[in-house]
Amino acid sequence: MSYLILSIVILLIGILGIILNRSNLIIMLMCVELVLLASTILLLFESRVLYTLFGQIFAIIILTVAAAESAIGLAIMVNYYRLRGTIAVRALNLLRG
Amino acid sequence: MYLLVILIPLLSAVGSGLGGRYLGRKGAGLLSSVWVLVSSLLSFVLCYEILINGSTVYIELGRWIESDLLITSFGLQFDMVTAVMLIVVTTISGLVHVYSTSYMREDPHLPRFMSYLSLFTFFMLILVTSNNYVQLFIGWEGVGLCSYLLINFWFTRIQANKAAIKAMLINRIGDIGLMLAIILIWKEFGAVDYCSLFPALSPSSACTWICILLTIGAIGKSAQLGLHTWLPDAMEGPTPVSALIHAATMVTAGVFLIIRSAPLFDYSPTATIIVGLVGSLTAFFAATVGLVQSDIKKVIAYSTCSQLGYMVMACGTYSCLSSLYHLLTHAFFKALLFLGAGSIIHALLDEQDLRKMGGIIRGLPLTYVLMLIGSLSLAGFPYLSGFYSKDLILELTYNNYCLISIYWLASITAFLTAFYSFRLIYLSFVSKPNLTRIGAQHLQEADWNLLGPLLVLAIGSILVGYIAQNMVFAPGVRPLPLVPTIVSLAPVIMSVTGILLVFILRPYIIYYTTHPSIYGFLFYAWEFNQIANYYIGSTVWKFGHIVSYRTIDRGILEILGPTGIAQFMVNRTKELSNLQSGLVFNYALMILVGTAIALKYLVVN
């Protein structure tokens, strides 16, 4: 149960970090990592409780996906920084409706 | 032959209208004149059959509207009333056609003019020969249309345009009355053709309403008091048009309607009294206005209005045939007067003002004699045709006990009629010359195309009253009103007094003799135009602008309709597009909220 609560708390921290963060894009990327981490914990916990391997398989897949995602995200960020000279989130709204 | 009388004017109209550029001016004039004269000869043959031999002819031409409750057919009915109207329409029209070939000789659009005249004759014949009210309405609208086209013949003149529109619109008020009357007849009696309708009549309250609506139709078309203002303005058209349409034929359509609907009026004493009152007031009103007019055509126009009042008044005394009789004689002498006035105008190089005439008796002796015959006949001088019909009407009104005021109005009108007719003769022919030098030098009689019709009409206005007096009252005899000797002498006394008074008042006649305000009041026709424009016209116009245009059309409907909805949609979409802020965390929030809502429903279900 405590694992469940832990994962939910981490998930909430990640989500709130994404939503409330106005300054830095790196923090946003870290919060995405947190969300993925929370989901990994949840899957592992579920695998432990239900005695199945599917959770662990998915956890490994999520780890790889998260690594790839952060790599691509950092690459985008670096390129963006080259162009604009800043990575503040609130300066990203050039494509407004 | 019965169909030919109607079809020949139509063929003439189509021929000179569509083929005008091939026929040329002379060809179109010749063609339409000859054809309409042939139609007029045929109508005389018909009159011999109908009036003398007493045969009524019905012709079924075909079905028109066949619905469950309304069956209307095209059909012709040649009875006594129609026969008299046929003489009036085709004879006057044929003579006016001949007259126009001379009067309008210089006009480049003569074929169009001839075509309109023939088309008018055709529609008038449709009106008088139809055997039901719906077909009558075709002719009724058709003559209104032709009136518009002919008044507006010189369409470059703004006054002619305005007069034509006025004639059309004021006639349309009467048309609404006629239309409502036809609908009411159909609703009440279920038939619109005369031979089914008139035997089926029964006294009912609807009869009164039908008759009042028919009277409104007649008021519009026959220029009775209230809706008369178009008739003097219609003098903007060429003179032959005034003679044909606004003196002899079209304006008598309203009287014809009342004569035709006489069985309906027999069931409605209220409407009959209204008809008598309207007619007598019109006669009196127009006669007073005719006293002071300075335009020669307007004097005659107001006298037409006054004589139409006589005819309508005669219908109001339950004696429609005497009205028809006056219609017949009036057509002859009024056409004569108008065409004579046209002859004067033509000789004076298009000068219509009575104050710039005078002394033209030396240049135009024949026109003088003809105009004198017309005026004497109009004034009801004994043994001319006007005398027979007018005398009869005046005596009939004396017998009308319920409204003796009608008699007095009619008698005063007879006096005034004589006065203004001879004022016209005096000012144009007898008084000292007031012409321009060029006008006086060119003063001469026109050719025989112009004078021939006048001669025929003059013979008509001498003899028609005597010849037709037993024909019009064909089935029975001329009604003999029982009146005291003084009353039967009164019209003659009145007219002779009127004629003599002109020569007594001779020096004062050209200047106004009475108080200037009365003179102005009469000159501006009792200020009817001004009153109508100020109180009715401008009120309706303001209502239309403020309420129906600005409040409803451009206000409520605009807000509820196109502009309002478009504005609303644009504003809402602007608000919606503001949601797309471009800020990443807002999108994330939306995704989460959306996911949460979706999850909630998924879990609940």
Side-chain angles (χ1 to χ4, degrees), chain B residues 84 88 92 307 311 322-336 377-378 384-390 393 457 460-469 472:
Chain B
V84 174
V88 170
I92 305 293
Q307 298 303 309
M311 293 177 212
S322 61
S323 165
L324 187 65
Y325 184 35
H326 192 56
L327 197 160
L328 175 66
T329 55
H330 169 259
F332 279 92
F333 58 72
K334 193 49 62 69
L336 172 62
S377 192
L378 172 64
L384 294 176
S385 66
F387 167 72
Y388 291 97
S389 52
K390 209 166 166 182
I393 289 173
L457 285 170
S461 54
I462 294 170
L463 294 180
V464 157
Y466 179 71
I467 295 173
Q469 68 172 333
V472 173

Side-chain angles (χ1 to χ4, degrees), chain B residues 247-321:
Chain B
T249 44
M250 186 185 109
V251 286
T252 58
V255 182
F256 172 77
L257 181 71
I258 298 181
I259 296 171
R260 194 45 114 186
S261 317
L264 274 166
F265 278 86
D266 284 345
Y267 283 108
S268 167
T270 321
T272 311
I273 290 171
I274 291 173
V275 165
L277 269 179
V278 167
S280 59
L281 284 174
T282 310
F284 177 71
F285 152 78
T288 53
V289 175
L291 289 178
V292 295
Q293 293 300 310
S294 62
D295 186 327
I296 186 166
K297 281 174 78 178
K298 283 209 171 156
V299 175
I300 309 177
Y302 278 110
S303 91
T304 302
C305 204
S306 167
Q307 298 303 309
L308 288 168
Y310 263 148
M311 293 177 212
V312 172
M313 180 176 69
C315 290
T317 59
Y318 292 102
S319 171
C320 283
L321 287 182

Side-chain angles (χ1 to χ4, degrees), chain B residues 267-498:
Chain B
Y267 283 108
S268 167
T270 321
T272 311
I273 290 171
I274 291 173
V275 165
L277 269 179
V278 167
S280 59
L281 284 174
T282 310
F284 177 71
F285 152 78
T288 53
V289 175
L291 289 178
V292 295
Q293 293 300 310
S294 62
D295 186 327
I296 186 166
K297 281 174 78 178
K298 283 209 171 156
V299 175
I300 309 177
Y302 278 110
S303 91
T304 302
C305 204
S306 167
Q307 298 303 309
L308 288 168
Y310 263 148
M311 293 177 212
V312 172
M313 180 176 69
C315 290
T317 59
Y318 292 102
S319 171
C320 283
L321 287 182
S322 61
S323 165
L324 187 65
Y325 184 35
H326 192 56
L327 197 160
L328 175 66
T329 55
H330 169 259
F332 279 92
F333 58 72
K334 193 49 62 69
L336 172 62
L337 278 175
F338 256 116
L339 296 184
S343 170
I344 298 171
I345 292 167
H346 197 55
L348 291 180
L349 308 173
D350 297 332
E351 177 58 63
Q352 296 195 12
D353 201 330
L354 275 173
R355 292 166 297 191
K356 296 180 188 166
M357 294 182 184
I360 55 178
I361 187 170
R362 293 179 198 81
L364 305 171
L366 186 56
T367 307
Y368 171 68
V369 171
L370 297 171
M371 285 290 278
L372 196 62
I373 292 170
S375 294
L376 282 172
S377 192
L378 172 64
F381 200 74
Y383 309 118
L384 294 176
S385 66
F387 167 72
Y388 291 97
S389 52
K390 209 166 166 182
D391 199 47
L392 181 62
I393 289 173
L394 283 169
E395 288 172 13
L396 283 171
T397 52
Y398 185 78
N399 276 349
N400 193 11
Y401 292 109
C402 57
L403 281 170
I404 194 68
S405 66
I406 292 179
Y407 172 73
W408 288 109
L409 281 177
S411 296
I412 296 167
T413 307
F415 166 71
L416 295 176
T417 306
F419 186 82
Y420 66 69
S421 311
F422 280 83
R423 172 179 171 273
L424 190 150
I425 293 282
Y426 172 75
L427 285 182
S428 54
F429 286 102
V430 185
S431 63
K432 277 182 197 150
N434 245 337
L435 306 168
T436 56
R437 175 189 286 271
I438 297 168
Q441 276 170 352
H442 286 85
L443 197 61
Q444 59 179 2
E445 294 279 10
D447 56 0
W448 285 102
N449 269 2
L450 198 145
L451 289 174
L454 286 176
L455 278 175
V456 177
L457 285 170
I459 294 167
S461 54
I462 294 170
L463 294 180
V464 157
Y466 179 71
I467 295 173
Q469 68 172 333
N470 287 324
M471 267 156 66
V472 173
F473 304 98
V477 289
R478 185 171 178 270
L480 287 173
L482 295 169
V483 290
T485 317
I486 181 71
V487 174
S488 64
L489 283 178
V492 179
I493 298 170
M494 287 289 190
S495 69
V496 173
T497 321

